[in-house]
C-alpha cells in the first residue's frame, strides 16, 4: 500500500468521522428542541448554520474525491490500452512481490 492509498484511507475516515459528528449534533438539536431561552435559541441557530456549512463542505469533498477517483481510473485505463505489454509486466511484478510478502507469513 503506497502513501497515496494511506492518505486516501485517512481522508475517508476523517470524512466519515465528521459525518458522525454532524449527525450527532443534529440529533442533539432535535432532542433538546423543547428547551427554552433566548441564549439557547441563538446558540442553536449558530450551531445549525455551522452544521449546514459542514455538511455542504463534506458533500463537496466527497464529490471532489469521486471525480479524482474517476479521473484516476480513466488515466489507468488509457495507460493500459496504450502500453499493454508494460502493464502486463507491472501486473506480473506486483503479483510476484505480493506472493513473496504473503509467503513470508
Amino acid at each position: 500500500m503506497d502513501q497515496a492509498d494511506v492518505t486516501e484511507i485517512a481522508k475517508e475516515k476523517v470524512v466519515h468521522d465528521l459525518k458522525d459528528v454532524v449527525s450527532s449534533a443534529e440529533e442533539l438539536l432535535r432532542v433538546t428542541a423543547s428547551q427554552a431561552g433566548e441564549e439557547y435559541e441563538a446558540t442553536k441557530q449558530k450551531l445549525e448554520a455551522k452544521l449546514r456549512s459542514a455538511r455542504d463542505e463534506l458533500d463537496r469533498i466527497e464529490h471532489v474525491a469521486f471525480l479524482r477517483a474517476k479521473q484516476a481510473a480513466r488515466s489507468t485505463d488509457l495507460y493500459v490500452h496504450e502500453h499493454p505489454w508494460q502493464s502486463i509486466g507491472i501486473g506480473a511484478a506486483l503479483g510476484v512481490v505480493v506472493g513473496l510478502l504473503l509467503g513470508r507469513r
Side-chain angles (χ1 to χ4, degrees):
M1 186 179 301
D2 66 357
Q3 185 62 31
D5 291 338
V6 171
T7 302
E8 189 61 32
I9 290 170
K11 284 180 189 177
E12 288 175 8
K13 181 168 178 10
V14 168
V15 168
H16 176 69
D17 290 347
L18 284 174
K19 282 185 174 185
D20 283 347
V21 169
V22 169
S23 294
S24 296
E26 288 172 339
E27 180 64 22
L28 179 63
L29 286 174
R30 280 191 293 276
V31 170
T32 59
S34 63
Q35 299 293 324
E38 206 172 287
E39 187 177 326
Y40 171 79
E41 195 59 39
T43 303
K44 178 183 171 188
Q45 288 175 359
K46 285 181 189 177
L47 181 57
E48 286 173 340
K50 288 180 181 182
L51 286 172
R52 278 192 300 276
S53 176
R55 190 168 291 283
D56 291 345
E57 182 64 15
L58 286 172
D59 289 343
R60 188 192 67 77
I61 289 170
E62 271 189 318
H63 182 70
V64 168
F66 173 75
L67 292 177
R68 285 184 182 169
K70 195 172 180 180
Q71 180 60 37
R74 277 193 209 125
S75 296
T76 302
D77 186 54
L78 182 63
Y79 180 84
V80 168
H81 281 89
E82 290 179 356
H83 306 93
W85 290 108
Q86 289 173 336
S87 300
I88 291 170
I90 291 169
L94 286 173
V96 168
V97 169
V98 169
L100 289 173
L101 291 174
L102 290 176
R104 289 179 144 187
R105 290 182 175 196

